[in-house]
Amino acid sequence: MTLFIALSEIREQQDPFLQFDFVCRAGICGSCAMLINGRPGLVCRTLLSSLPDPTRLAPLPGFALIGDLSVDTGRAAFESPGR
């Protein structure tokens, strides 16, 4: 099972408002990138079996936060929304 599948199940079964990004689910687009235990990684390519328990997830730094684990990769965190 990938981290993407686990996050999808959490959203379906526990928290319908959990925000994270994905497009291709094949490791091509990079939209599901986030910090996984402090290191950038793709949740669609990260196997749960390769992660320690507990695992810490965080949004990518340097981008404007949309919510939870979702960031606006088109806008840096320090830019104003009108730019």
Side-chain angles (χ1 to χ4, degrees), residues 28-57:
I28 297 169
C29 71
S31 66
C32 68
M34 61 183 70
L35 293 181
I36 305 167
N37 292 323
R39 300 183 68 151
L42 299 177
V43 298
C44 70
R45 304 282 283 183
T46 303
L47 297 176
L48 285 180
S49 61
S50 70
L51 297 173
D53 187 28
T55 294
R56 173 171 270 171
L57 303 177

